[in-house]
Amino acid sequence: MNPSTRTDLEAALSDRPLTQGSLPRRAPWITLAAAIVIGLVLTSFGVATGLAALVTAVLYGVTIFAWSLAVEGPRKAKDRVVAAAVTSAFLLALAPLISVVVTVISNGVNRLDAEFFTYSMHGIVGEGGGVYHAITGTLLITAVATVISVPIGLLCAIYLVEYATGRLGRAITFFVDVMTGIPSIVAGLFAYALFALFFGPGVRMGVMGAVALSVLMIPIVVRSAEEMLRLVPNELREAAYALGVPKWRTILKVVLPTAMAGIATGVTLAIARVIGETAPLLVTVGITTGVNMNPFDDRMATLPVFAYRQFSSPGIPPEPAIDRAWTAALVLIAVVMLLNLAARLFSRLFAPRSRA
Amino acid sequence: MPVSERTSRSRVRAGDRVFAGLSTGAGALILAVLAGVATFLLVEAWPAVVAPSADIPGGQGITVYIWPLLFGTVLSAVLALLIAAPLAVAIALFITHYAPRRLAQGLGYLIDLLAAVPSIVYGLWGLAVLAPATVEASTWLYQNLGWIPLFAGPPSSTGRTMLVAALVLAVMVLPIITAVVREAFLQTPRLHEEAALALGATHWEMIRMTVLPFGRSAIIGASMLGLGRALGETMAVAMVLSVSGGVSINLISRSNPSTIAANIALDFPESTGIAVNTLIASGLVLFAVTLAVNMLARVVINRRRDFSGAN
């Protein structure tokens, strides 16, 4: 190589910094701040928030693309635009979540009083009334569904992990997955069709709703329990067998306790998933205005169906009923979120202490 | 892997036999329930299938009754999927490859919360917030893009349109698709990613060359799972959509085809006699469609699982 060329090159580069050809580190933030300021100015001129947010995102994308294209070249420019697009997609998904929570809280807080939780709708026209009957109904039906689903789901998971061999095991695994996709309304129709065969058409009972919810709940329990049982180290089982413990006692005394935290989490999440179901209860349990504590006799009220009915047939004047619907929705959403939180807590609290 | 059965000649304990029988029975019960759903729906739907067409609500037979509903179901679900699937892939990418590592799990949990909101709440929200918010936009679409049959209008003044129903459905299936795709993206072999980066690829080029090809079948499978969920979603559609029957691809007008699930929820409580059987027959059609979509989705996802890691 010609030494003089190298000197020329070195001379040409000597006064340039090493970061030549890339944007300053703060470039995205500066651009973003500028775009946000413009977005805020737009909203202050009366442009809708959604439109302003869109303008902000597009403005940021275009600016950073042009800037990067000029300094860094097309490959890095594309990289920066994709990063912006992916981040905006995430923020966009948060928008409905925030909107739902804010709407439900602001509309539901009107009727969040003691009467709402201690009164049923028996003899209520217009204002007042509450969801006492719907809460007892929801608790009863969900409890019955849990009592049906947990033993079946747990035993099925034990079969899949400890006993399954060959085609039956594979078929069950596959169809449990498929079953998680059954529409809730179909589960409701199934329960109706099943009971209508024995009790005649038009039958409504709490236990029908529990059966429908079980169809939705069992596959979730199986899935989570199976996953947890597979995490139990095989050494534990082998140690038990080596001590002469029968297989069934090994499962009951060693495998299940070890996996208990995960199973409790899974069951709680399954309950959270079905406690808000409306459609299957609408076609099997119906709605009533009074307290019914017997799941084997006649209609019961449940929280989701109560919210739907108050909203769809509010009566005159409609406002009190609409308020009750929103508050019922608020209670429902709070219950579901609490169950989700409890599930995470279970997995923290009861996790087996491992030293590995 | 479970320890295999002992083959020694020691007597099989009664407890073992009972327990094995119980758990095998529970496994078989799952298959029986699935078969039972199909059987009982068929039994209750049969009277509507054989009934004279004048007795079916609408008076023109069961095919004419179910077809517009099926059309509405597929239209709303496919639209929802078109909106949700690209978003879900982008969100999964953000959580796995863009967000700060320490925040990633929490952000994933936030998206999962979207799945925890009951559908009735989405219905109320869609009606009270989303529908009115789209009126202006659909008027704009009608005035400027009215020549496209999708936006033929006239725009609904309440916003209870097919477009809003599809948007609500998209929000509801988004977390389901994201969860599956996220799992797949996380399993991308580290070495592939590092090799791409070592060759000088930018972050996006690395994702396009390693993460997306690896997750492709998961994206397809997850989208179909989302489709299955959107097809069967009931309450949100029943509350949001203003229906008039008939087949129409007009997304922003007041008259829309209903969906099977929404139609059942709206009509079932007040129906008697053959009308109930007709609704159950439509439910059977919905069951068959979602079952087919879900089975296909699971086949696609499982095939990926068989090959993952090794290649």
Side-chain angles (χ1 to χ4, degrees):
Chain A
M1 199 173 274
N2 188 346
S4 73
T5 331
R6 235 173 77 190
T7 336
D8 283 352
L9 193 63
E10 272 172 354
L13 291 178
S14 61
D15 59 337
R16 306 221 179 158
L18 269 174
T19 51
Q20 166 74 22
S22 63
L23 292 185
R25 282 182 79 87
R26 271 170 299 171
W29 299 108
I30 296 169
T31 321
L32 185 62
I36 289 176
V37 167
I38 294 176
L40 288 178
V41 168
L42 279 181
T43 43
S44 69
F45 279 116
V47 178
T49 323
L51 198 61
L54 184 71
V55 169
T56 307
V58 170
L59 213 57
Y60 172 79
V62 170
T63 315
I64 201 82
F65 182 78
W67 192 359
S68 176
L69 188 67
V71 181
E72 298 177 322
R75 288 174 56 218
K76 287 229 171 147
K78 206 187 282 176
D79 188 46
R80 287 185 188 271
V81 169
V82 172
V86 163
T87 313
S88 330
F90 178 78
L91 294 178
L92 181 63
L94 289 189
L97 184 65
I98 295 168
S99 172
V100 164
V101 171
V102 168
T103 314
V104 171
I105 290 179
S106 64
N107 282 312
V109 85
N110 289 343
R111 274 302 316 277
L112 207 61
D113 46 34
E115 187 188 358
F116 192 72
F117 293 99
T118 48
Y119 277 71
S120 74
M121 289 299 292
H122 194 70
I124 302 281
V125 178
E127 291 195 17
V131 288
Y132 178 69
H133 60 316
I135 288 178
T136 57
T138 287
L139 290 181
L140 264 175
I141 289 174
T142 314
V144 175
T146 310
V147 167
I148 299 174
S149 316
V150 170
I152 295 178
L154 204 51
L155 278 170
C156 181
I158 289 173
Y159 171 77
L160 287 176
V161 176
E162 308 285 338
Y163 292 98
T165 45
R167 294 176 67 176
L168 183 62
R170 274 205 302 279
I172 293 175
T173 310
F174 181 75
F175 280 106
V176 164
D177 278 340
V178 170
M179 229 171 130
T180 53
I182 290 186
S184 58
I185 186 90
V186 170
L189 286 183
F190 158 69
Y192 174 82
L194 178 66
F195 280 78
L197 276 188
F198 297 107
F199 297 92
V203 59
R204 295 282 188 279
M205 274 195 281
V207 71
M208 289 166 66
V211 168
L213 293 186
S214 302
V215 173
L216 301 171
M217 202 172 160
I218 288 172
I220 309 176
V221 174
V222 175
R223 263 280 82 110
S224 58
E226 187 194 345
E227 229 163 81
M228 290 307 136
L229 291 179
R230 284 201 196 283
L231 288 181
V232 175
N234 231 7
E235 285 81 356
L236 288 182
R237 297 188 181 91
E238 281 161 4
Y241 294 147
L243 293 171
V245 181
K247 187 164 184 168
W248 69 278
R249 280 187 72 90
T250 307
I251 295 170
L252 280 185
K253 297 282 179 183
V254 177
V255 178
L256 281 184
T258 314
M260 208 26 114
I263 293 172
T265 304
V267 169
T268 317
L269 286 177
I271 294 175
R273 164 92 169 68
V274 299
I275 204 166
E277 284 293 350
T278 316
L281 299 178
L282 191 65
V283 300
T284 55
V285 183
I287 185 76
T288 172
T289 55
V291 179
N292 174 11
M293 298 290 252
N294 182 359
F296 295 95
D297 181 39
D298 216 10
R299 295 162 183 268
M300 286 173 96
T302 50
L303 213 44
V305 180
F306 173 84
Y308 172 64
R309 278 298 168 152
Q310 290 292 315
F311 194 83
S312 66
S313 37
I316 298 169
E319 285 79 19
I322 306 280
D323 279 351
R324 283 192 292 264
W326 279 110
T327 310
L330 176 60
V331 172
L332 200 58
I333 222 175
V335 167
V336 174
M337 299 283 167
L338 279 181
L339 282 171
N340 272 288
L341 213 66
R344 317 249 146 202
L345 221 60
F346 282 149
S347 60
R348 285 269 170 81
L349 284 184
F350 304 123
R353 274 175 289 266
S354 69
R355 273 178 228 171
Chain B
M1 273 287 108
V3 177
S4 61
E5 294 282 348
R6 278 159 301 162
T7 48
S8 69
R9 274 183 286 122
S10 64
R11 66 196 169 81
V12 177
R13 295 181 183 82
D16 267 343
R17 209 175 300 155
V18 169
F19 203 78
L22 270 179
S23 50
T24 315
L29 187 67
I30 302 272
L31 299 182
V33 166
L34 207 58
V37 172
T39 316
F40 286 110
L41 287 185
L42 195 60
V43 168
E44 283 291 309
W46 193 247
V49 178
V50 295
S53 55
D55 291 353
I56 304 293
Q60 288 179 292
I62 192 155
T63 334
V64 178
Y65 180 82
I66 293 180
W67 156 242
L69 296 174
L70 186 61
F71 177 83
T73 309
V74 173
L75 178 65
S76 60
V78 168
L79 270 178
L81 190 65
L82 286 180
I83 301 167
L87 263 183
V89 173
I91 293 166
L93 270 184
F94 177 79
I95 293 171
T96 57
H97 286 85
Y98 282 91
R101 182 92 16 112
R102 251 183 310 161
L103 292 181
Q105 205 185 359
L107 296 179
Y109 180 53
L110 266 184
I111 298 295
D112 287 342
L113 273 185
L114 271 178
V117 176
S119 64
I120 179 93
V121 176
Y122 276 121
L124 288 169
W125 172 75
L127 211 48
V129 177
L130 192 60
T134 60
V135 172
E136 221 174 295
S138 50
T139 313
W140 185 87
L141 283 172
Y142 169 63
Q143 282 162 354
N144 295 284
L145 298 170
W147 47 274
I148 303 175
L150 295 176
F151 308 122
S156 157
S157 57
T158 55
R160 298 177 58 190
T161 60
M162 189 54 99
L163 186 66
V164 170
L167 281 174
V168 174
L169 285 179
V171 173
M172 300 180 76
V173 300
L174 191 66
I176 295 161
I177 305 177
T178 307
V180 177
V181 175
R182 201 173 67 198
E183 276 313 302
F185 283 176
L186 278 178
Q187 288 170 9
T188 314
R190 219 36 224 266
L191 287 176
H192 291 196
E193 296 180 9
E194 284 168 2
L197 290 174
L199 288 172
T202 63
H203 203 65
W204 164 238
E205 285 163 348
M206 177 272 281
I207 286 169
R208 221 183 46 198
M209 287 190 293
T210 64
V211 178
L212 291 184
F214 185 82
R216 193 172 54 205
S217 57
I219 295 173
I220 297 170
S223 304
M224 292 172 69
L225 276 189
L227 181 68
R229 186 57 66 91
L231 286 169
E233 181 45 50
T234 312
M235 295 319 293
V237 181
M239 293 171 76
V240 164
L241 197 59
S242 140
V243 298
S244 67
V247 172
S248 151
I249 57 163
N250 191 344
L251 301 184
I252 56 171
S253 82
R254 200 154 47 86
S255 44
N256 302 286
S258 188
T259 72
I260 292 179
N263 182 57
I264 295 172
L266 290 173
D267 285 359
F268 197 93
E270 272 80 41
S271 294
T272 49
I274 198 81
V276 170
N277 300 109
T278 314
L279 288 173
I280 291 179
S282 72
L284 185 64
V285 173
L286 177 65
F287 176 65
V289 172
T290 49
L291 198 68
V293 169
N294 275 303
M295 284 171 72
L296 217 58
R298 288 302 171 182
V299 169
V300 172
I301 293 178
N302 288 348
R303 201 173 51 188
R304 182 190 70 83
R305 194 175 296 154
D306 292 342
F307 287 116
S308 72
N311 45 354

Short mmCIF file of all heavy atoms in Angstrom, two decimals, chain B residues 49 110 123 189 209 229:
data_model
loop_
_atom_site.label_atom_id
_atom_site.label_comp_id
_atom_site.label_asym_id
_atom_site.label_seq_id
_atom_site.Cartn_x
_atom_site.Cartn_y
_atom_site.Cartn_z
N VAL B 49 -83.73 -28.40 11.76
CA VAL B 49 -83.23 -28.80 10.45
C VAL B 49 -84.34 -29.46 9.64
O VAL B 49 -84.47 -29.24 8.43
CB VAL B 49 -82.02 -29.76 10.59
CG1 VAL B 49 -81.53 -30.22 9.24
CG2 VAL B 49 -80.90 -29.07 11.35
N LEU B 110 -49.15 -5.98 31.60
CA LEU B 110 -50.12 -4.94 31.25
C LEU B 110 -50.98 -5.37 30.07
O LEU B 110 -52.20 -5.20 30.06
CB LEU B 110 -49.40 -3.64 30.89
CG LEU B 110 -49.18 -2.62 32.00
CD1 LEU B 110 -48.53 -1.39 31.41
CD2 LEU B 110 -50.51 -2.28 32.64
N GLY B 123 -68.28 -4.35 26.09
CA GLY B 123 -69.52 -3.94 25.44
C GLY B 123 -69.96 -2.56 25.90
O GLY B 123 -70.26 -1.67 25.09
N PRO B 189 -33.32 -18.70 18.85
CA PRO B 189 -31.99 -19.06 19.33
C PRO B 189 -31.09 -17.84 19.45
O PRO B 189 -30.98 -17.04 18.51
CB PRO B 189 -31.47 -20.01 18.24
CG PRO B 189 -32.68 -20.55 17.60
CD PRO B 189 -33.73 -19.48 17.69
N MET B 209 -34.16 -11.08 9.95
CA MET B 209 -33.46 -12.28 9.48
C MET B 209 -33.57 -13.46 10.44
O MET B 209 -33.47 -14.60 10.01
CB MET B 209 -31.98 -11.94 9.25
CG MET B 209 -31.76 -11.10 8.01
SD MET B 209 -30.03 -10.95 7.60
CE MET B 209 -29.41 -10.01 8.98
N ARG B 229 -61.28 -16.89 18.55
CA ARG B 229 -61.86 -16.14 19.65
C ARG B 229 -62.81 -15.06 19.14
O ARG B 229 -63.89 -14.85 19.68
CB ARG B 229 -60.74 -15.54 20.50
CG ARG B 229 -61.15 -14.86 21.75
CD ARG B 229 -61.93 -15.75 22.66
NE ARG B 229 -61.15 -16.85 23.19
CZ ARG B 229 -60.47 -16.81 24.32
NH1 ARG B 229 -60.45 -15.71 25.02
NH2 ARG B 229 -59.82 -17.86 24.76
#
